[in-house]
């Protein structure tokens, strides 16, 4: 399969080198229990990703050893603990592919994801962000409330792990903002929309999202402030843009 | 509706979250993904409504001008239409004296649907020193 190119919003296209041009980025802190499983789900993809970058954000457990054992070919970047946004930024800065593909260490890429997304890129070459459907699984201790059950099979493009993002677009908006951690992906998604990114979808399942505990209702009560701050920042940007 | 002016309301469920940013309030409905910016006197009105004060009580606190009551009633109608408020179980308390120490400014409500239908999965992430996206010890032996 040739490199997916395209002329979507943002600049850049495939690498033109005959590679697939997809850089997988797996940010993690203290994820020794599950990181190998996530890596295996990436390496099982056909065609393979061009590279796998694991960003260890200051883990104090055996995450780094687990990564090395699971995949000696992975590029392991270790940094002081700076948070999810900074870890993703570090991974993206090191990436060489034209497309970025993220995965959190507690989730999985389902078999066939890579092939489905590549087919999607050829069908929608204008896409800056291409995503597939979610499969929601409850881990032991996890519960699926009505909203999560509704999410099973849905397209939620703000979840970067559900698809591919053109690296030039990531660079154009400046990547993620560490100050927006806890709602960094919503903040990025809103900025991508404001930048005019073309969001496209495919029918295939591209992410197995694993729910754990009942953190959501607790988090909504206690830390919805981050999400609301990201929304307010979007309101202010749009006002400035309209002025 | 006129009877709404004397009714006590509360946020319509745990999916309604809001935050006061000083000169504006942002309200989000996690169930729909739609979020709102409230400006003018709308933040103070929202805060008072969410505490269970009636629209008429709030208008009284703003000075009681009939035009102010109509304006607050209009905002209340919008908030109700967006399913952000629902009648509260308790009756409306006495007029909310002192909730509005500032001058009345026409309330504004802006609606944003960029995230409509998208906040189905945890949009608010747990991040701690123990790890993220989750601490392994919370998995209960999974993985």
């Amino acid at each position: 399969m040739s490199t997916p190119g395209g002329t979507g919003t943002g600049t850049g296209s495939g690498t033109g080198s005959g590679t697939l041009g997809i850089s997988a980025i797996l940010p993690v802190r203290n994820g020794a229990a599950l990181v190998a499983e996530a890596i295996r789900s990436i390496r099982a993809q056909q065609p393979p990703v061009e590279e796998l970058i694991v960003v260890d954000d200051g883990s104090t457990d055996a995450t780094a050893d687990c990564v090395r054992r699971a995949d000696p070919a992975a590029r392991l970047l270790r940094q002081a603990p700076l948070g999810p946004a900074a870890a993703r930024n570090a991974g993206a800065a090191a990436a060489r592919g034209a497309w970025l593909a993220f995965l959190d260490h507690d989730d999985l890429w389902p078999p066939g994801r890579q092939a489905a997304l590549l087919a999607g890129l050829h069908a929608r070459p204008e896409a800056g962000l291409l995503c597939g459907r979610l499969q929601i699984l409850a881990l032991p201790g996890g519960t699926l409330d009505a909203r999560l059950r509704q999410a099973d099979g849905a397209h939620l493009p703000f979840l970067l792990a559900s698809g591919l993002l053109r690296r030039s677009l990531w660079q154009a908006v400046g990547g993620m903002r560490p100050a927006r951690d806890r709602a960094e992906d919503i903040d990025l998604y809103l900025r991508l929309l404001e930048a005019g990114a073309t969001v496209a979808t495919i029918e295939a399942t591209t992410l197995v999202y694993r729910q754990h505990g009942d953190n959501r209702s607790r988090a909504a009560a206690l830390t919805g402030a981050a999400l609301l701050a990201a929304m307010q920042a979007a309101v202010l940007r749009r006002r400035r843009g309209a002025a | 509706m006129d009877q709404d002016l004397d009714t006590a309301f509360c946020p319509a469920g745990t999916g309604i979250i809001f935050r006061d940013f000083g000169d504006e309030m942002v309200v989000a409905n996690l169930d729909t993904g739609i979020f709102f910016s409230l400006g003018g006197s709308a933040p103070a009105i929202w805060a008072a409504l969410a505490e269970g004060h009636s629209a008429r009580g709030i208008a009284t606190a703003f000075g009681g001008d009939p035009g102010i009551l109509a304006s607050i009633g209009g905002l209340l109608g919008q908030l109700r239409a967006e399913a952000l408020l629902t009648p509260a179980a308790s009756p409306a308390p006495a007029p909310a004296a002192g909730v509005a120490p500032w001058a009345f400014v026409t309330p504004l409500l802006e609606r944003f649907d960029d995230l409509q239908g998208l906040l189905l999965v945890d949009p608010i992430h747990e991040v701690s020193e123990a790890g993220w996206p989750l601490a392994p010890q919370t998995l209960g032996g999974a993985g």
Side-chain angles (χ1 to χ4, degrees):
Chain A
M1 189 176 289
S2 62
T3 299
T7 55
T9 300
T11 57
S13 59
T15 61
S17 63
T19 64
L20 296 168
I22 295 178
S23 296
I25 298 170
L26 195 162
V28 57
R29 181 190 299 174
N30 290 341
L34 292 179
V35 70
E37 193 179 357
I39 287 172
R40 284 194 292 273
S41 79
I42 293 173
R43 290 306 197 190
Q45 299 295 319
Q46 291 297 331
V49 296
E50 179 176 358
E51 61 181 349
L52 168 57
I53 301 167
V54 178
V55 183
D56 181 358
D57 188 63
S59 292
T60 55
D61 67 357
T63 291
D65 290 340
C66 290
V67 171
R68 290 193 190 99
R69 275 199 304 272
D71 188 353
R75 295 171 64 192
L76 176 60
L77 309 180
R78 304 186 73 179
Q79 62 182 30
L82 297 172
R88 288 174 176 82
N89 286 343
R96 295 179 293 232
W99 296 88
L100 305 178
F102 292 89
L103 180 63
D104 290 342
H105 81 274
D106 58 338
D107 295 331
L108 300 171
W109 284 0
R113 164 202 156 103
Q114 178 87 335
L117 285 168
L118 288 169
L121 286 181
H122 283 277
R124 296 292 307 274
E126 79 281 12
L129 175 63
L130 179 69
C131 79
R133 296 184 184 277
L134 301 187
Q135 179 186 355
I136 307 288
L137 288 182
L139 286 170
T143 55
L144 301 186
D145 62 15
R147 196 179 299 143
L148 273 174
R149 285 194 294 274
Q150 212 179 334
D152 190 32
H155 290 107
L156 301 183
F158 77 87
L159 286 177
L160 291 184
S162 70
L164 300 171
L165 174 62
R166 199 180 286 270
R167 184 160 64 96
S168 58
L169 189 53
W170 170 280
Q171 291 169 326
V173 300
M176 283 187 161
R177 293 186 171 158
R180 297 276 173 230
D181 266 346
R182 291 180 187 262
E184 72 280 1
D185 41 13
I186 291 285
D187 175 71
L188 175 70
Y189 181 68
L190 290 169
R191 287 185 288 116
L192 289 170
L193 294 182
E194 291 160 19
T198 299
V199 180
T201 59
I202 62 171
E203 288 303 310
T205 298
T206 51
L207 177 64
V208 179
Y209 181 97
R210 303 200 288 182
Q211 175 67 10
H212 53 88
D214 63 346
N215 61 322
R216 187 151 65 109
S217 56
R218 182 161 46 93
L222 298 177
T223 61
L227 176 62
L228 292 162
M231 292 168 169
Q232 197 238 359
V235 171
L236 293 178
R237 284 193 302 270
R238 292 165 196 197
R239 281 201 194 119
R240 282 198 297 268
Chain B
M1 291 188 293
D2 279 354
Q3 72 240 36
D4 277 359
L5 299 177
D6 296 303
T7 301
F9 291 93
C10 62
T14 56
I16 309 299
I17 60 175
F18 50 96
R19 181 176 174 185
D20 190 345
F21 290 90
D23 56 353
E24 78 173 322
M25 178 87 74
V26 174
V27 181
N29 185 340
L30 298 180
D31 294 326
T32 64
I34 297 171
F35 63 100
F36 304 85
S37 169
L38 281 65
S41 288
I45 296 167
W46 168 271
L49 287 169
E51 289 173 1
H53 297 295
S54 70
R56 196 179 303 278
I58 296 166
T60 299
F62 270 112
D65 184 287
I68 291 177
L69 177 59
S71 185
I72 293 174
L75 176 65
L76 174 59
Q78 289 179 283
L79 297 173
R80 291 270 280 149
E82 297 289 354
L84 297 175
L85 293 173
T86 192
S90 57
V99 298
W102 48 82
F104 185 80
V105 180
T106 301
L108 303 172
L109 179 69
E110 290 180 272
R111 183 179 193 273
F112 300 90
D113 61 5
D114 312 61
L115 302 175
Q116 185 167 7
L118 300 186
L119 299 184
L120 301 172
V121 164
D122 187 358
I124 304 160
H125 310 297
E126 291 289 336
V127 178
S128 74
E129 290 305 309
W132 48 260
L134 74 164
Q137 60 267 32
T138 66
L139 291 172

